[in-house]
Amino acid sequence: MKFKVFSELSYEVFSPTTFIFNIQAAKSACQTIISELLIVTPAIKFEEFTLKNSGTRFVKMEVGKGVFFTLIYEAEVEVSYTVYDEKVLLQSIPIINLDHEVLPYISPSRHCESDKLLEFATKEFGYLPNEYAKAKAIKESIFNTVEYKTSVTNSSTSACDTLLDRVGVCKDFAHLGIALCRALDIPARYFTGYAYNLNPPDFHACFEAYIGGRWLFFDPTKLAVANGLVKIANGKDASEVAVASYFGDVNCTFMKIECQPITADFTPFNSENDRIEAISYE
Amino acid sequence: MKFKVFSELSYEVFSPTTFIFNIQAAKSACQTIISELLIVTPAIKFEEFTLKNSGTRFVKMEVGKGVFFTLIYEAEVEVSYTVYDEKVLLQSIPIINLDHEVLPYISPSRHCESDKLLEFATKEFGYLPNEYAKAKAIKESIFNTVEYKTSVTNSSTSACDTLLDRVGVCKDFAHLGIALCRALDIPARYFTGYAYNLNPPDFHACFEAYIGGRWLFFDPTKLAVANGLVKIANGKDASEVAVASYFGDVNCTFMKIECQPITADFTPFNSENDRIEAISYE
Amino acid sequence: MKFKVFSELSYEVFSPTTFIFNIQAAKSACQTIISELLIVTPAIKFEEFTLKNSGTRFVKMEVGKGVFFTLIYEAEVEVSYTVYDEKVLLQSIPIINLDHEVLPYISPSRHCESDKLLEFATKEFGYLPNEYAKAKAIKESIFNTVEYKTSVTNSSTSACDTLLDRVGVCKDFAHLGIALCRALDIPARYFTGYAYNLNPPDFHACFEAYIGGRWLFFDPTKLAVANGLVKIANGKDASEVAVASYFGDVNCTFMKIECQPITADFTPFNSENDRIEAISYE
Amino acid sequence: MKFKVFSELSYEVFSPTTFIFNIQAAKSACQTIISELLIVTPAIKFEEFTLKNSGTRFVKMEVGKGVFFTLIYEAEVEVSYTVYDEKVLLQSIPIINLDHEVLPYISPSRHCESDKLLEFATKEFGYLPNEYAKAKAIKESIFNTVEYKTSVTNSSTSACDTLLDRVGVCKDFAHLGIALCRALDIPARYFTGYAYNLNPPDFHACFEAYIGGRWLFFDPTKLAVANGLVKIANGKDASEVAVASYFGDVNCTFMKIECQPITADFTPFNSENDRIEAISYE
């Protein structure tokens, strides 16, 4: 499946500021960048770097006071995904047998205080027969009880807040899903990306849960088509893979995000039926 | 209905300390003190006082360093209550018509942060057809999802904590019930008292919700018999009517609480049937 | 000292809404209403009431969907105050001897979680020699470390939030002052009123601490002249004496508040000198 | 400098449990394991693993219900450290020039909510002339205002809690130090290890701040000698490098930790003088 993704971000800069962006499509075994382009207008020197551990791609730049600039990213990306059915989904891997690199995703993180939700998660979802049933019920419960609303939450909002306030945007939905999975000893991680047909258009955030040896994709907002995503990055939560971090006094004045399949034959995957099926972007 | 109540509290005092107790049975239109006795051993001067507003009865005393003392309270109390059925329970009184003195019980308080639970309460209970159905569903939900466990919570625990932690004692159950009612604009208040047959024996805390013009009694722990209580006090929450407050360094070394009907014909009220019925202690 | 106070509030009402206002000048031994006027345009039936306990004056009204209305309050008020010097200020009254009606103001309340600040308050201010020195140091510390900024905090913000965030408006400054005083066993209460020369013009909130048997006035914002206030109400915190409470979906579209001395010889009281002096509005 | 470290941990296991320990001395350019020994009694199969990213060494094992076991770790470790003076300490590296692998340590983490402490940190420490002065003032401030006390905090306690409660153990002191540094854009990380002469004997936790291109060591408890540590691991906070994690119902019944210099000529480094000097374990 080929997608064309596009993002345009404009900033007004009131003090000398370091920017760190995380908006480029990830490179992985099942995601290939066919072509990509990063343009800063007016021209400002930027540097790309990748963290050794995660492979997350960042762009950093230093911008002076009084500058007004626009960053444009455009890419054609080939994405493949796998659909797993009950042969994988109903498997349970004991913690002792988990891949070691997966273990950190059981621990709590800044926005996913799973350690505070052990009782809650156990009482609400603990009775379910397997990890897939638990993760799916968590997704459904968040969809049914949290209202999607912009401008109410901020970058300090975390899962416990959302559980009480019952309102937020995709990142808040994802954080709550991750926290509840981890509270049940299911490894879970944050997923940011470009999403086809997302309305309102924006970067998207979802979560992945590690079930039967695979990182399976869950979108508790149900705003995206499960096979319509181009991954930017995974992380423990938004604190590791924020779209834009800045150290200075700035104002974001414009934002445009797009994601379109290039292939004519794109068929949206319907994850809302009763079949036991889930998508993995690995 | 006549009850005999008894409480015995012992303290070791490590620094000069002011004690304020709130353990005496309330005096009200439907609760009469037939006889009562308050003994401090060794003899320490104490003073009884009543707050103008609430009528709450307090006892205060100053105790020196190194003192080890015991406070015993014993009373025979005549209690009457009213059982209301659907004629009252299904009534809804608009806020504008509420008795003015009831209005403060819609506001949040220290341990009942109803202002933070508007979304949660609306999403969980807002669809129910009337205030009685909401308050009863709140009681049932707390009973079903919060575990009764001592020594986990403390005097700073409040409703939002309990909603997440799902564990606590009677005061925590009551605070959560009050906060959820207020979040739905149902006035609610804290109720402390002696409870017949309570196990483990202790002072008890429940809540009252103002429905159809009456303060109706709810016990989300279901540990007490609804018509087996002798009221000590009402308040916005435990911060107003703590059983014992002290200003100093002390240790409570012993506690014994009892409540027995004196009348032979005491018939426990079964509030767990499907009838629409509730008790009011007014 | 005579003042003329004025407030004008306009609301757009999107659903049937009950409003409860608390904007009228208080009546007390040292505050007399010479004349006052309350006008609602268009004419909507309203009812005034006073809570038995506190004497707080409220106005309530029911407003239909789609209504746009304006409330105007105007009054001439005679205010007297007392200036106390060290004879009163350096006195310390043991808790056991405090007036009973003052005791509830040592307990924590919704926005003043003094129970969580015992260690903090003791470590920062506990070493000071007397209650007046502590309360004054609390006022100064808040003034020096909290930034006055509108639109950052909301009606759920409380003292612990402000202690960390270090930003807020007058109500947040007042809540923090109250919480810190109570954490040191100094009774403290919330004070709302009209303030002369307040910039930006708005209702004002300060706090009073009970020292030497008097309720002394403290303004940690230092935005008001200490003898330039007309009291609206006292309460445990803003949850008891909010300027406007509403149960419905509304938007406040306009607000104008004024407070002017009528007397020609008004001399602002300078509380910022080194003299040991404080004002009490009782 | 050679040290002998020893730890002995005993557990009673009430349900089948996966244990993950992080108690072995780290291997790094300046820390060499001369010899080490890990013994589980009774013999239980365990597996050692190292995370790719951090190099952190873990031991995992599955233990059955009803088992009572003891884990003993013993090692001789050669540790070298560097003392930096003002040539390094007074340098400031702009964020844009920071090593990329250091950047994640500016972000908030589970127990170090630096995003909530921007205002607080800026107001308390922002005026100081350089990063070293800030980090040192943070260390001193924590030492002076937080009380060392066991059994008050737990594994959910985080920096904001400690800032208000002003009480905790070494991990809480470290989390607060890290959070305050990050709030000032100084990268900071958690350090666990064995500490010479620690009283009470336990594993120790401190923090490192990245200043002038080095990870400098700070111990806000002042309980350890700065050059008397054997590092176990670094992490964003305790959630990444907990000494013992378990998934099951267990009770720790015994704990003994020791750390002794083997070399005769060990000279404690005095970091409390006025010289501008700090130790780095890299």
Side-chain angles (χ1 to χ4, degrees), chain B residues 4-225:
Chain B
K4 182 171 176 182
V5 300
F6 173 88
S7 56
E8 180 177 346
L9 304 171
S10 296
Y11 290 90
E12 200 174 351
V13 179
F14 305 114
S15 72
T17 298
T18 305
F19 283 85
I20 301 177
F21 293 101
N22 176 211
I23 58 171
Q24 297 165 292
K27 295 175 178 172
S28 76
C30 41
Q31 189 166 297
T32 309
I33 315 289
I34 301 165
S35 68
E36 65 177 356
L37 197 63
L38 189 71
I39 305 170
V40 182
T41 314
I44 297 171
K45 199 185 90 185
F46 60 84
E47 181 187 351
E48 298 186 51
F49 67 93
T50 303
L51 287 184
K52 261 192 298 189
N53 174 38
S54 59
T56 305
R57 305 175 66 196
F58 292 97
V59 173
K60 68 178 181 181
M61 62 178 87
E62 188 71 23
V63 186
K65 181 181 171 175
V67 173
F68 183 102
F69 76 96
T70 295
L71 176 76
I72 289 177
Y73 176 69
E74 240 184 83
E76 273 189 41
V77 185
E78 172 83 46
V79 182
S80 66
Y81 60 88
T82 312
V83 178
Y84 289 104
D85 65 11
E86 52 192 74
K87 285 186 210 76
V88 163
L89 270 49
L90 302 189
Q91 278 177 34
S92 184
I93 300 180
I95 293 171
I96 193 78
N97 295 335
L98 283 176
D99 187 297
H100 303 145
E101 299 298 328
V102 165
L103 285 171
Y105 296 99
I106 301 191
S107 298
S109 60
R110 170 64 188 90
H111 300 291
C112 307
E113 318 97 318
S114 46
D115 53 308
K116 290 191 170 178
L117 296 176
L118 302 186
E119 295 293 336
F120 183 93
T122 302
K123 264 153 199 158
E124 295 284 329
F125 306 106
Y127 69 91
L128 288 161
N130 55 62
E131 296 177 342
Y132 175 70
K134 290 173 187 173
K136 189 162 187 190
I138 286 169
K139 183 193 86 165
E140 291 296 326
S141 165
I142 295 172
F143 175 74
N144 287 321
T145 64
V146 182
E147 184 183 354
Y148 190 94
K149 204 171 177 179
T150 55
S151 305
V152 179
T153 57
N154 58 40
S155 64
S156 279
T157 304
S158 61
C160 287
D161 299 322
T162 304
L163 193 57
L164 294 180
D165 299 345
R166 298 290 170 111
V167 71
V169 293
C170 57
K171 104 183 143 47
D172 304 306
F173 282 61
H175 285 154
L176 183 50
I178 294 166
L180 291 170
C181 284
R182 291 181 189 163
L184 297 169
D185 295 340
I186 304 171
R189 67 186 189 187
Y190 192 75
F191 175 112
T192 57
Y194 293 87
Y196 163 60
N197 238 358
L198 193 65
N199 186 10
D202 201 341
F203 292 101
H204 199 37
C206 303
F207 74 91
E208 294 179 333
Y210 195 76
I211 293 171
R214 317 285 164 175
W215 283 108
L216 302 178
F217 177 85
F218 293 89
D219 178 3
T221 69
K222 297 195 185 180
L223 290 174
V225 173

Side-chain angles (χ1 to χ4, degrees), chain B residues 47 49 51-53 60-62 95-96 100-101 103 107 109-110 115 156 185 236 239-240 247, chain C residues 47 49 51-53 60-62 95-96 100-101 103 107 110 115 156 185 236 239-240 247:
Chain B
E47 181 187 351
F49 67 93
L51 287 184
K52 261 192 298 189
N53 174 38
K60 68 178 181 181
M61 62 178 87
E62 188 71 23
I95 293 171
I96 193 78
H100 303 145
E101 299 298 328
L103 285 171
S107 298
S109 60
R110 170 64 188 90
D115 53 308
S156 279
D185 295 340
K236 284 193 178 174
S239 70
E240 292 193 352
F247 301 87
Chain C
E47 181 186 351
F49 67 93
L51 286 184
K52 262 191 296 188
N53 174 38
K60 67 178 182 182
M61 62 177 84
E62 188 71 24
I95 293 171
I96 193 78
H100 304 144
E101 300 299 326
L103 286 171
S107 299
R110 171 62 188 94
D115 53 307
S156 279
D185 295 341
K236 284 192 176 175
S239 71
E240 291 193 352
F247 301 86

Side-chain angles (χ1 to χ4, degrees), chain A residues 47 49 51-53 60-62 95-96 100-101 103 107 109-110 115 156 185 236 239-240 247, chain D residues 47 49 51-53 60-62 95-96 100-101 103 107 110 115 156 185 236 239-240 247:
Chain A
E47 182 186 348
F49 67 93
L51 287 184
K52 261 191 297 190
N53 175 37
K60 67 178 180 181
M61 63 177 85
E62 187 72 23
I95 292 171
I96 193 78
H100 304 144
E101 300 299 327
L103 285 172
S107 298
S109 61
R110 171 62 188 94
D115 53 307
S156 279
D185 295 340
K236 284 192 178 175
S239 70
E240 291 193 352
F247 301 86
Chain D
E47 182 186 350
F49 68 93
L51 287 184
K52 262 192 296 190
N53 174 40
K60 68 178 181 180
M61 62 178 86
E62 187 72 24
I95 293 171
I96 193 77
H100 303 145
E101 300 299 327
L103 285 171
S107 299
R110 170 63 188 94
D115 53 307
S156 279
D185 295 341
K236 285 193 176 173
S239 70
E240 290 193 353
F247 301 86

Side-chain angles (χ1 to χ4, degrees), chain C residues 147-167:
Chain C
E147 183 184 355
Y148 190 94
K149 203 172 178 179
T150 54
S151 305
V152 179
T153 56
N154 59 40
S155 64
S156 279
T157 304
S158 61
C160 287
D161 299 323
T162 304
L163 193 57
L164 294 180
D165 299 345
R166 298 289 170 110
V167 71

